[in-house]
Amino acid sequence: QVQVVESGGGLVQPGGSLRLSCTASGDFNNIYSMAWYRQAPGKEREMVAITTSSGITNYGDSLEGRFTISRDGTRNTAYLQMDGLTVGDTAVYYCKIAARRPTSLLFQDFWGQGTQVTVSS
């Protein structure tokens, strides 16, 4: 089994900051990418940020400059630093990894269960 666990969510005031963590564990190797998604009530899940094994990063619309994704490959951990948070950032944030099991030639997606981020005064 592959496990993906997020942490670091919580309640923060507008303009504040949070750092989310995502740790992957289990029977796998060759993680290709680690990504953050979010889903707010009444909206579809959207991509927030992604980082690949080659160091390429991409961000969702209007998020680059406020959000920063980083990765510690030795610990199979990704971070999402969120600054200048607004009410519109309130959502459940999910971590997704693309990884290859030792017995497979194909990369598969594995999702965490999410962590709640609430921005409110």
Side-chain angles (χ1 to χ4, degrees), residues 12-121:
V12 64
Q13 293 185 346
S17 298
L18 284 174
R19 180 184 290 267
L20 306 183
S21 298
C22 170
T23 300
S25 62
D27 186 19
F28 66 87
N29 56 18
N30 294 325
I31 294 179
Y32 173 72
S33 65
M34 305 188 76
W36 289 96
Y37 289 73
R38 70 183 184 185
Q39 187 167 20
K43 296 184 178 180
E44 295 184 0
R45 189 171 299 185
E46 64 174 329
M47 192 273 288
V48 175
I50 183 170
T51 181
T52 72
S53 59
S54 62
I56 298 173
T57 60
N58 283 290
Y59 294 89
D61 292 343
S62 303
L63 297 179
E64 188 170 6
R66 292 198 301 121
F67 289 12
T68 304
I69 188 170
S70 60
R71 178 180 174 181
D72 181 353
T74 63
R75 300 296 184 186
N76 295 322
T77 299
Y79 304 94
L80 183 68
Q81 177 67 40
M82 304 186 294
D83 299 316
L85 288 165
T86 70
V87 175
D89 295 319
T90 296
V92 178
Y93 285 71
Y94 299 89
C95 181
K96 186 198 77 173
I97 70 167
R100 183 173 63 86
R101 286 186 161 188
T103 58
S104 177
L105 298 177
L106 302 176
F107 286 94
Q108 298 174 272
D109 290 339
F110 302 92
W111 289 86
Q113 295 186 2
T115 183
Q116 176 71 48
V117 173
T118 302
V119 184
S120 176
S121 60

